Every structure is written in C-alpha cells, then in structure tokens.
Amino acid sequence: MADLPLPPGSTIGILGGGQLGRMLSQAASRLGFDVVILDPEENSPAGRVSRGQIVAAYDDPTALNVFGRVCDVVTFEFENVPAASVERLAEAGALVAPGPTALAVAQDRVDEKTFLNAVGATTVKFAAVDSVDDIMAELDQVGLPCLLKTRRDGYDGKGQAWIRDYTNVPEAWAAIGGRPAILEAKAAFTRELSIIAARGRDGAVAVYPLGENKHAGGVLRTTNAPAQIDAKTEKRAKAIAASILDGLAYVGVIGIELFDLGNGTLLVNEIAPRVHNTGHWTQDGCVCDQFEQHIRAVAGWPLGPTKAHAQVEMTNLLGDEVEQWSKLAAKPDQRLHLYGKAEARPGRKMAHVNRVRPL
C-alpha cells in the first residue's frame, strides 16, 4: 500500500471515463500526478486526457487486478460503479477513496435515507416498496402526492414517477419498470440548494459556499453560487455536511442536495459520493475547485481553500446546445468547459459554461 501523502509522480486510478473523470484527471495532472482510467468505452473523454486507459467492464476481475497494481490510489467518478468492484480492490490491498461503504449507501435510496436520518440529516418521509400492494399500503403514511423512485440506478429524472392519487399507482409502478422502489413524500420547499464538501484523510472538513439550483425535466440547468442565504441556513447546511462525512468516515469530495423549507430548515434530498455537477461553479469561483480538492483529499494532501472570489452562474449545455461553443467562447465574462464527447444526443450533458461576476 502506498505511503501518504502521495508525492507528485504517483498514479491515481479513476473508475469511470466521463466528464467528471476528465476534469478530475486534468486537476490531478496540474498537481503532478499520472492518471489511469478504467472504463468500458474506448477513447473515453477522461481516457484522452490521461496517461492511459484500461478498456474493460467495471467488474472484470483481470482488469481490476491490473488496475489495483498500477495505481497508488483509486477513486471513482460516478456512483453506479459496482460496489463489489470497489470492495475487491480494497480487499486486494489497493488504497480506495471514498470507500465501498459510501458507495453502497449512495447506490440504494432506502439505505441512503436510512443512513441520513441516523446521523441527524433529516429527509422527507419515505417507505420501501416492492409491489403495487406495498404502495397502496404506504400511501396514507407517506401522503399524496408522492414520488416513486427505483431503489437503485436512475439519474437526471429517470426511473421515477409521480403518484397523484390512488388510481395512477399501477401506471406509476409500470413506468419505473416494476422494480424495487422507494416512495418519497413531496417536500414543501422554496428552493433547492446544494453543498459541496470534502473530508481529508486526517478528518479535516472543508465546505464550499452553497449553490442554488434550477432544474428542467429532472435535469440540472443552472447553479448560482454563492447562494443568498442567512446565517442560520448556512450553519445548518455545514452541520449536515459534517455529520454525513464523519458518519461515513469519508475521504474525498461529496455533493449534497438540499430542500430549503425556509427559516433554516433543510431536508437532504440525496448525496453523491463524488464530485458533483452543482460544484462546477468552483472551477471559476474558487482558488481550489472541487476537482483539485478531491485529488488532494484522496492523495492525503492538505485540503485547499474553499472561499469564493467571484459570483458564478453555471449553466449545463445539453445535446446540440454545445454547438453554441464559438459564440460562448467569445464572451469575456464566461468560461466554457467542453467534455470532449463525440455524440451530442438530446439531453446529454456535453459541456457547461460559467458566467463570472464580481462578488
């Protein structure tokens, strides 16, 4: 096992070759690290800016063996990497961060909400359901309307359906594919906030200013940060972040989505054990962005500063919106971040742009 902190020239392995892996690799390169990607897609966005890529399934035992041997530390860019693969790497002696526990908790929405409530990070009412009959039995407790979501997988609004009354329960169950699910009460929130936080190997915690998020069709469109919040809300958000990080003995950056009910009352919507779309504003709003922060944490380096030096509006570019790149690149107050994806499918995240203004 590698000695910590990792010196420049060490190799960091990233499970996943998408845009988050790409930006993590770029940050690692700035700090003098080499990066190896494991991803089943040849010529992945992250692989093209890294020292190398192993093209294999995430659960390929031979690939995981090689990956663990050539990397001094392993991390991941998205939470749908099989938790068993991360456990296999750790059991073989690889240094993995965040650990398999955080990944397993985030992969199952019932386990996630159970954990959150156990550490004092309150959520909406919820119930685990495995059939139409289960849903009917829980509706009085959870309340109408409510949201039905698959327990596992699902992102950007996929794998979920609203239940407005008893009559559309079978339709909602069919819409999510009749899979094990969670029933969530509707939150009477005024806005969605998010907080990006990090925990180092020494237990130190660093928290970025909160962002305010706007969604369309279940997909994040914009994040404005720092959000306009009062001291009570900020204090509560930081306490939630610290309780989650410590509860998981976490190492790395985590994204936490919050429902703001007003008067300092916050409910946790979900957590993501990785760098997060709502933290992209830090690339142009902070000295140490979320990607560098994550690399610092997993490599055992001191955490970097999180204070904002600019007001940033981050906007996702979906599908053929990326064709505006020339126009956007010409704007002096905007920074364009392209992901290097070959195909601009409808709704696919292709890039983001940060509009920067003075604080």
Side-chain angles (χ1 to χ4, degrees), residues 188-191 193 230 232-233 259-267:
F189 62 96
T190 58
R191 58 180 175 168
L193 300 171
D230 56 50
K232 186 177 180 181
T233 301
F259 293 137
D260 182 7
L261 277 59
N263 195 32
T265 303
L266 299 171
L267 299 178

Side-chain angles (χ1 to χ4, degrees), residues 139 143-147 161-169 172 186:
L139 282 180
L144 289 169
C146 56
L147 190 58
W162 280 100
I163 297 176
R164 308 286 177 186
D165 55 51
Y166 286 86
T167 62
N168 80 308
V169 169
K186 183 178 181 181

Side-chain angles (χ1 to χ4, degrees), residues 32-105:
F33 294 110
D34 291 332
V35 175
V36 174
I37 304 296
L38 174 60
D39 190 278
E41 177 191 333
E42 277 190 69
N43 203 32
S44 70
R48 295 203 306 277
V49 298
S50 302
R51 180 183 177 186
Q53 177 182 338
I54 297 172
V55 180
Y58 296 123
D59 58 357
D60 183 306
T62 302
L64 289 170
N65 236 3
V66 174
F67 192 58
R69 287 204 310 269
V70 301
C71 299
D72 296 296
V73 67
V74 173
T75 189
F76 45 85
E77 65 134 17
F78 73 121
E79 61 269 41
N80 288 333
V81 171
S85 296
V86 177
E87 288 170 3
R88 185 188 184 103
L89 285 165
E91 288 168 359
L95 196 59
V96 181
T101 300
L103 188 62
V105 165

Side-chain angles (χ1 to χ4, degrees), residues 2-8 10 33 95 201 296-302:
D3 293 329
L4 296 171
L6 293 181
S10 301
F33 294 110
L95 196 59
R201 293 192 178 275
R296 282 172 168 265
V298 303
W301 286 28

Side-chain angles (χ1 to χ4, degrees), residues 87-262:
E87 288 170 3
R88 185 188 184 103
L89 285 165
E91 288 168 359
L95 196 59
V96 181
T101 300
L103 188 62
V105 165
Q107 285 181 345
D108 186 298
R109 290 187 170 95
V110 173
D111 292 346
E112 179 185 54
K113 280 186 165 50
T114 301
F115 161 77
L116 289 169
N117 284 281
V119 298
T122 313
T123 69
V124 296
K125 289 182 181 179
F126 68 96
V129 291
D130 293 314
S131 67
V132 168
D133 288 343
D134 285 351
I135 297 171
M136 291 294 193
E138 296 290 351
L139 282 180
D140 285 344
Q141 173 66 23
V142 174
L144 289 169
C146 56
L147 190 58
L148 182 68
K149 296 180 179 177
T150 54
R151 283 184 65 153
R152 303 179 70 86
D153 303 322
Y155 61 95
D156 289 345
K158 298 176 177 65
Q160 57 185 256
W162 280 100
I163 297 176
R164 308 286 177 186
D165 55 51
Y166 286 86
T167 62
N168 80 308
V169 169
E171 177 188 352
W173 180 245
I176 68 161
R179 298 159 62 193
I182 183 172
L183 203 58
E184 297 181 0
K186 183 178 181 181
F189 62 96
T190 58
R191 58 180 175 168
E192 184 189 284
L193 300 171
S194 58
I195 190 162
I196 305 298
R199 185 175 183 272
R201 293 192 178 275
D202 60 356
V205 171
V207 181
Y208 288 93
L210 276 77
E212 181 173 348
N213 307 315
K214 303 288 186 185
H215 290 77
V219 181
L220 179 71
R221 293 301 291 175
T222 64
T223 295
N224 278 283
Q228 297 299 307
I229 57 169
D230 56 50
K232 186 177 180 181
T233 301
E234 180 180 26
K235 182 179 179 181
R236 177 60 184 146
K238 288 182 176 180
I240 287 171
S243 68
I244 292 170
L245 290 167
D246 289 341
L248 291 170
Y250 197 86
V251 174
V253 164
I254 194 168
I256 306 168
E257 295 180 1
L258 303 163
F259 293 137
D260 182 7
L261 277 59

